[in-house]
Amino acid sequence: MLFLLALLALTVAQFLPGLFIVKLLDIGRDREECYVLSAVLAGPIAAAVYLVTLLADWEPLYWILIGNLGLLAVVVPWRLKRSFGWPRAARIALATLLVVLFVPYFLTTGSLYRIDATGTMLLDRALQTDVLFHLGVIHSLESGYPPSLLSVSGQPIGYHVGYHLQLAAWARYFGIAAADGLIRVATVWQVALLVASAFMLARRFTERISAHVLTPVLVFGAGFGFAFFYRPSVDWWSLVFMDATLVSIFLSNPLLPALPLLFAGLALFDDYTRGSGRGALVGSVLCIAFMLAVKMFLGAQVLAAMGIAAILSWRDTRMRAAFVAAALASLPLLAHTFLSAGGSNTSIGLRPLEIVRYSMEKLDWNAAIQALASVGRFELSVGAWALAAVATLTWGVGFLGVRLVGLGACVKDLWRGATPLRRTMAWFVAIGFPLTLVFRIAPAESEGLSRLESQNDVLWFATASGVLLWFWTADALRRSSATVIVTLLALTATVQHFVYAATLEPDRIAASRVRSAKAAGMLSGPDAIWLDPLDRSRPSLLPYVSGRAVVYDPYVGYDYMFVGRDEIAYRRHAVAQFWSSGDPAYRAWMLDHFDVDFVWEQGGDVAPLRGLEPIYSDEAEHLYRVRDRAFRPPLVEMQTPATIPLGNRGSPYLGVGFRRADRVRRLPPEHPAFLYLPRAEARSLRMRLRVDARHGGGELVVEGRRVTVELASTTIDVELPPREASGLHAIAVEWRGERPLTILEILLR
């Protein structure tokens, strides 16, 4: 059934609209190129049609627009008849490459994110969080726009969703579940387009026939990460030097659909600069502009490369026209990108050689890690600078791998009489590495976050540069023996990618949880907000399977890119206290404060809480509906606990800054911390801290109130003024002393 639905969706939405554009613009050298361009250009059209449908909030509009485009594709004649032009040997080689890629893929990741015969859901155990994040974005777009973060109450986010819009339309109009669309249908479609468009671009890049076929093969290669296979810290060989190409392609990152757009856009750009009509210009501009909506890093990078190449060849009117047209067409998307970034929690700043440090961490080279950590502060000795330089050179060689073979020719194409295409591609490659080595794109408050939560997204520039550098590498190989050696070295990490994935057991989600997630989706609307238990070790199924928002799910960890750290910490403690507190007034406030419509409870019993109506049970899984306005006003006054537990049990109350040490907590000097207390309105509160006397004296600042702590003091008393409203309050605490303050007990009255 999935095959038939996929065939229908790909034909109606992902091919025919593009075929109409190809006929209208009269682009493509031969029949194969026309079909490839049709499939690539249909993506932007399908996304735009679905976006218009969402904004108009009229469901039939999608079928009206898509149907008319399909009809036009059939009835509009070709301006110029084209015959099949790709060599038979090349077609066989490309088909063989796809088979070689898809067989291991469907034995590993492609066989997961599904429900088996026992009702158990099978997830990938490797890079699961990235896939779940994209599934959540797709689900949010099934019912409306802008996209939202279902793991944080469905908060709107600024993100490039051109690809997700297409998959959401598949789910809504063709019945292809988000996981099937992302993991199976779209991956097959986009990998096939990647191979075909790489061949199409290679035909323009060089006249060497062998390079035409070799380039699509090498695009799936990686650097020298395999040389460190023996280190326990190395799992994916391709990621040792932060080359994310392989894991992005085979774990459903938007880089995958962005690459066919890049290759097709550059191929049409070449056609236009060589004298083709304006149709090639329009097609190129459409591909390049839409890249900003699919993978904005690639879109910005190719626009910058076109601009530099055009300036260096200003007398070339066609290069100049191509850049100006692409820049003007991209302005709305660029404006949207910057406005969205302004509303997100992402910051851009200088962080020299941070990507290199990530690689050195994987290699366990501690001396280099320490040297690189101080580069931005210019505190290094001559020896440390030399060590940082060696580490950077190691990263560069390891990242590039056999692409070093083509690096010299790429550098020559920056200045010397290269074609417009080669010069533009050369600048694309050149731009990526300095950006990656110097800048940082990450959550604004990244200190203390995990490597996943604070990931530096600037690596995408080097990743994209590395992909295009394969074109020079393939063109530089003149001898068959060298070709074989380079290919084997390049694809070693690719083979390891699938071998390693095959060794990982699936992450299994119990059948009762899967059935409950499906029931939750059927029993609640797309705007409903759910509350379920916090679990960092397991994903909530509501955002990623049911397509329903939850107050907070910490599993994926990408939330910090879009929501402030204080807000996430507040939600985390609010949810944790709901499940650990026995105070019905606090529970009632919490459900009302976050507009919770439904509650998913596991194992315990929240039914006695007034206003919760049981609607579904399956083994230990229980679903409840929150009856309208059942908690206003609260029946009893909210209670503040008399003692704040320390150690693990104190986590619902003690936030960032309170460092856990056995059964006590420590406050380091000059380090902000937060205490989360449920408090009734209009009541003052006295807090007494019993502390270890070896603190050396200092000053404790609580919500701006300063309390002097004498030498050898063992108790600290702080008066907290009344608050205007009941609820969970985040109380800022800071210790100002020479030694850490060890807290033995926290009493409240």
Side-chain angles (χ1 to χ4, degrees):
M1 187 62 179
L2 178 60
F3 174 78
L4 295 177
L5 293 175
L7 186 62
L8 179 63
L10 293 176
T11 303
V12 173
Q14 304 297 136
F15 181 75
L16 289 179
L19 181 60
F20 167 63
I21 299 299
V22 168
K23 288 183 175 181
L24 190 67
L25 299 180
D26 192 28
I27 53 179
R29 292 180 177 179
D30 45 44
R31 186 63 62 89
E32 291 96 338
E33 286 196 2
C34 289
Y35 292 156
V36 172
L37 291 171
S38 297
V40 173
L41 291 171
I45 305 302
V49 167
Y50 184 58
L51 177 60
V52 170
T53 303
L54 289 176
L55 295 177
D57 195 21
W58 187 41
E59 194 158 349
L61 182 60
Y62 180 83
W63 290 117
I64 293 172
L65 295 176
I66 284 290
N68 279 295
L69 287 171
L71 181 62
L72 289 170
V74 174
V75 300
V76 170
W78 294 95
R79 291 190 186 182
L80 179 65
K81 293 290 184 180
R82 291 170 173 82
S83 59
F84 292 100
W86 289 8
R88 183 170 179 271
R91 294 200 300 268
I92 294 174
L94 297 181
T96 302
L97 172 62
L98 291 175
V99 171
V100 169
L101 291 171
F102 287 144
V103 168
Y105 175 75
F106 278 103
L107 291 175
T108 53
T109 307
S111 65
L112 302 176
Y113 298 94
R114 62 178 178 85
I115 300 173
D116 67 10
T118 66
T120 302
M121 177 168 284
L122 306 178
L123 302 180
D124 181 23
R125 197 176 286 276
L127 295 173
Q128 179 188 121
T129 53
D130 198 54
V131 176
L132 292 178
F133 169 75
H134 293 298
L135 286 175
V137 175
I138 294 167
H139 280 303
S140 77
L141 290 169
E142 290 177 21
S143 57
Y145 187 88
S148 59
L149 200 60
L150 297 182
S151 57
V152 188
S153 293
Q155 296 237 10
I157 58 173
Y159 191 67
H160 36 253
V161 293
Y163 185 43
H164 305 79
L165 283 167
Q166 300 168 55
L167 303 188
W170 292 3
R172 182 168 175 175
Y173 291 100
F174 297 94
I176 300 175
D180 285 330
L182 183 67
I183 300 299
R184 280 167 278 282
V185 180
T187 298
V188 170
W189 183 249
Q190 294 296 340
V191 168
L193 291 182
L194 173 57
V195 169
S197 60
F199 179 81
M200 182 174 66
L201 180 58
R203 295 176 72 199
R204 290 159 171 79
F205 184 84
T206 179
E207 296 181 355
R208 295 187 61 248
I209 297 176
S210 61
H212 299 168
V213 175
L214 184 59
T215 300
V217 176
L218 292 180
V219 163
F220 295 93
F224 286 150
F226 63 85
F228 301 92
F229 69 92
Y230 55 89
R231 289 190 175 274
S233 56
V234 171
D235 42 19
W236 300 105
W237 293 354
S238 62
L239 285 179
V240 172
F241 295 106
M242 307 310 295
D243 185 352
T245 305
L246 287 179
V247 295
S248 301
I249 289 174
F250 296 114
L251 285 172
S252 306
N253 188 279
L255 177 70
L256 172 57
L259 289 176
L261 285 166
L262 175 63
F263 294 163
L266 289 172
L268 292 173
F269 166 78
D270 182 68
D271 289 348
Y272 176 69
T273 57
R274 290 177 183 269
S276 295
R278 293 181 179 176
L281 173 63
V282 174
S284 175
V285 167
L286 181 59
C287 291
I288 291 169
F290 188 66
M291 259 190 288
L292 290 165
V294 174
K295 196 71 174 175
M296 59 182 176
F297 302 105
L298 266 71
Q301 192 170 348
V302 73
L303 278 175
M306 291 177 68
I308 295 173
I311 291 172
L312 294 175
S313 306
W314 193 249
R315 294 182 180 180
D316 189 328
T317 57
R318 284 186 171 254
M319 281 190 71
R320 191 167 68 244
F323 166 66
V324 171
L328 291 176
S330 301
L331 279 178
L333 288 170
L334 282 171
H336 179 267
T337 298
F338 283 113
L339 290 174
S340 298
S344 73
N345 192 44
T346 302
S347 66
I348 302 175
L350 292 173
R351 194 64 64 90
L353 305 184
E354 183 173 72
I355 290 294
V356 179
R357 180 164 58 86
Y358 288 177
S359 291
M360 298 306 108
E361 289 174 358
K362 288 183 174 292
L363 300 179
D364 295 327
W365 191 359
N366 292 324
I369 295 170
Q370 294 175 6
L372 291 164
S374 302
V375 167
R377 297 193 295 269
F378 299 98
E379 298 175 349
L380 300 180
S381 63
V382 174
W385 275 111
L387 186 58
V390 171
T392 304
L393 181 62
T394 302
W395 174 82
V397 173
F399 180 95
L400 294 175
V402 294
R403 282 173 286 200
L404 289 167
V405 172
L407 184 60
C410 178
V411 172
K412 290 179 181 179
D413 283 342
L414 291 173
W415 309 107
R416 299 182 181 176
T419 64
L421 173 66
R422 292 180 70 113
R423 174 167 287 184
T424 301
M425 291 175 64
W427 278 106
F428 184 99
V429 172
I431 288 170
F433 293 105
L435 291 175
T436 299
L437 290 172
V438 174
F439 289 97
R440 187 175 198 272
I441 302 175
E445 313 102 342
S446 59
E447 184 180 353
L449 299 182
S450 69
R451 172 65 72 234
L452 171 67
E453 293 167 335
S454 62
Q455 180 65 59
N456 189 347
D457 277 343
V458 80
L459 67 89
W460 294 115
F461 293 116
T463 295
S465 293
V467 171
L468 282 197
L469 191 52
W470 286 118
F471 286 81
W472 279 273
T473 305
D475 189 36
L477 298 174
R478 308 287 175 174
R479 303 170 66 176
S480 58
S481 58
T483 300
V484 171
I485 293 172
V486 166
T487 303
L488 290 176
L489 291 175
L491 299 182
T492 301
T494 314
V495 174
Q496 185 268 348
H497 177 95
F498 291 116
V499 171
Y500 178 66
T503 63
L504 299 174
E505 286 293 322
D507 188 5
R508 301 177 185 275
I509 306 296
S512 59
R513 287 192 66 202
V514 177
R515 291 192 296 267
S516 299
K518 289 186 174 182
M522 292 187 291
L523 293 170
S524 62
D527 296 328
I529 296 177
W530 284 75
L531 173 67
D532 62 349
L534 292 174
D535 190 348
R536 277 189 170 272
S537 63
R538 308 291 292 169
S540 169
L541 298 185
L542 289 164
Y544 317 115
V545 175
S546 312
R548 299 295 180 262
V550 296
V551 174
Y552 179 59
D553 174 46
Y555 183 78
V556 168
Y558 289 178
D559 309 328
Y560 292 94
M561 295 292 291
F562 307 102
V563 181
R565 190 169 180 174
D566 291 345
E567 174 66 18
I568 288 178
Y570 185 83
R571 288 172 178 265
R572 181 172 65 250
H573 288 86
V575 174
Q577 288 190 36
F578 178 90
W579 296 109
S580 63
S581 171
D583 182 5
Y586 173 78
R587 285 184 163 184
W589 168 85
M590 196 271 181
L591 294 175
D592 182 66
H593 180 76
F594 290 104
D595 295 321
V596 176
D597 303 297
F598 296 88
V599 175
W600 180 332
E601 182 269 336
Q602 295 173 321
D605 186 12
V606 295
L609 181 59
R610 175 178 174 265
L612 291 188
E613 173 190 351
I615 57 175
Y616 181 86
S617 291
D618 191 330
E619 298 181 6
E621 316 296 333
H622 308 288
L623 309 183
Y624 301 88
R625 177 183 286 109
V626 180
R627 291 201 292 266
D628 290 341
R629 304 182 67 84
F631 303 107
R632 301 177 188 174
L635 297 178
V636 293
E637 187 177 68
M638 188 179 299
Q639 300 297 312
T640 300
T643 303
I644 299 298
L646 304 180
N648 290 332
R649 293 175 55 246
S651 296
Y653 302 94
L654 300 169
V656 62
F658 286 94
R659 296 183 178 175
R660 190 164 51 229
D662 296 327
R663 297 182 180 181
V664 301
R665 294 283 178 137
R666 288 196 177 97
L667 278 176
E670 308 293 338
H671 197 287
F674 286 91
L675 177 65
Y676 294 87
L677 293 180
R679 296 180 59 186
E681 61 183 330
R683 292 193 59 176
S684 61
L685 191 66
R686 174 166 292 182
M687 179 171 65
R688 168 166 288 185
L689 279 67
R690 192 166 63 85
V691 300
D692 190 303
R694 293 170 293 181
H695 49 69
E699 186 179 62
L700 185 69
V701 182
V702 181
E703 292 199 306
R705 293 172 173 260
R706 300 181 178 182
V707 179
T708 301
V709 182
E710 302 293 341
L711 287 170
S713 295
T714 58
T715 60
I716 305 173
D717 291 319
V718 181
E719 189 78 20
L720 301 177
R723 290 295 186 100
E724 295 181 357
S726 297
L728 183 69
H729 298 286
I731 298 173
V733 180
E734 185 177 352
W735 168 244
R736 297 173 181 174
E738 294 183 0
R739 302 176 186 173
L741 181 69
T742 300
I743 301 173
L744 306 178
E745 189 177 32
I746 301 177
L747 303 174
L748 300 164
R749 60 184 176 86

